[in-house]
Amino acid sequence: MKWMCCAEQVFPGKPDGTLTERVAYCIQHDFIERGPALYCDLHTAGLAMRMIPVIGYTLDPPPHNPGALEQARAAAKAFGLKTIWSNAVDEGAPELTYRPGDTIASPFGKGTSASGAWLAGVPFLYTEATGSGGSSDRDTGLYAQGVRNLIRHLGISSGGPLPPTPGQVVVEDYDKGSGNLQHQHVTPVGGLFHAEATLYQRVVQGERLGTVRNLFGEVIHEVTASKAGVVITLRHVARVSAGDALANIAPNAGPPEDEAAWPY
């Protein structure tokens, strides 16, 4: 039996499942289902990818709380990142059983914490930051300030309404499945990836983003932009296997969080 796996695949969890499923079950039933005003999940791009800081929400409101979308929109702006990137969902998404007799066609694939909040009708946000297998003081500071902003936005702390974030860009991306980072610009072959594009670069459809080469340096796959927009994710680790995602493009993006220090 597989006792450990990614918690972002097992929500709403099981009370008698694997260790990870039990942890997800506790978060779902001891926190999310108590009806918090907001659920915010802080992520990074992980070990292999590099990504610009973004915050977002799903554009499909949960059936148990249609007003959750507007609440999430307001909270995302308050968090304070310069890029808000929200997505439509995959077509043909599987059904998830929320409670016995209550099966819903979820907009998510395998159960993420966002899907748990969506099933419970709780407004939720998800964030992404640099990744690259590390933790930067810049990203930590952005997240710490963002959480403080949410606490103020929800009226838990004093201070009144937050001023708008300078340069903030709101992107609501209705391209189905665009938010599934693992399915974008996938390489059909293994090898070594060499990026030619950079984060925040504006590209046109068909523009070359990079190449996959074999051990002899020969190009065995060209990675070209599937659409016009701004590069928000790039593969960081050179070694790739067939099926790995190499890049993602959003229709638009805000400027770097620290423009004076970019590129960093």
Side-chain angles (χ1 to χ4, degrees):
M1 179 178 288
K2 187 177 182 181
W3 285 97
M4 294 296 293
C5 63
C6 177
E8 282 296 284
Q9 297 178 357
V10 299
F11 272 81
K14 297 178 181 179
D16 56 352
T18 67
L19 176 60
T20 307
E21 288 171 330
R22 295 200 300 270
V23 170
Y25 181 87
C26 287
I27 295 173
Q28 180 72 29
H29 292 269
D30 294 343
F31 175 67
I32 294 176
E33 290 195 12
R34 291 178 181 267
L38 182 73
Y39 180 79
C40 182
D41 204 342
L42 305 177
H43 290 255
T44 76
L47 296 172
M49 303 298 285
R50 182 173 172 84
M51 187 170 184
I52 74 171
V54 302
I55 188 166
Y57 43 86
T58 184
L59 297 172
D60 296 67
H64 294 304
N65 181 10
L69 175 56
E70 288 305 321
Q71 293 170 286
R73 279 187 173 123
K77 291 179 180 179
F79 192 91
L81 293 182
K82 293 183 179 178
T83 300
I84 300 175
W85 178 55
S86 301
N87 309 100
V89 299
D90 289 318
E91 294 177 331
E95 291 186 336
L96 293 179
T97 299
Y98 176 45
R99 296 188 182 96
D102 187 5
T103 299
I104 301 172
S106 168
F108 306 91
K110 292 183 178 180
T112 64
S113 58
S115 72
W118 187 88
L119 289 167
V122 173
F124 69 89
L125 303 173
Y126 52 83
T127 67
E128 296 285 358
T130 304
S132 304
S135 176
S136 71
D137 290 341
R138 181 179 291 104
D139 288 346
T140 301
L142 288 172
Y143 276 7
Q145 185 58 54
V147 171
R148 287 192 289 267
N149 290 347
L150 288 181
I151 291 172
R152 179 174 165 184
H153 169 73
L154 295 171
I156 300 171
S157 65
S158 60
L162 288 154
T165 299
Q168 188 176 74
V169 172
V170 179
V171 181
E172 294 197 337
D173 190 349
Y174 285 90
D175 184 7
K176 291 290 184 180
S178 61
N180 194 329
L181 301 179
Q182 291 76 28
H183 293 175
Q184 309 300 321
H185 297 91
V186 171
T187 174
V189 296
L192 298 174
F193 175 63
H194 172 70
E196 297 178 9
T198 60
L199 295 180
Y200 292 104
Q201 180 177 331
R202 188 168 294 278
V203 296
V204 298
Q205 185 175 16
E207 185 171 344
R208 198 160 90 166
L209 305 178
T211 58
V212 177
R213 298 172 183 260
N214 62 21
L215 292 178
F216 300 101
E218 299 165 335
V219 175
I220 53 177
H221 176 62
E222 288 192 352
V223 187
T224 57
S226 61
K227 59 185 176 182
V230 177
V231 178
I232 63 169
T233 309
L234 277 173
R235 177 83 178 185
H236 174 69
V237 174
R239 186 184 71 247
V240 298
S241 300
D244 284 344
L246 303 179
N248 200 8
I249 297 170
N252 198 6
E257 297 294 333
D258 186 353
E259 289 188 81
W262 182 257
Y264 39 77

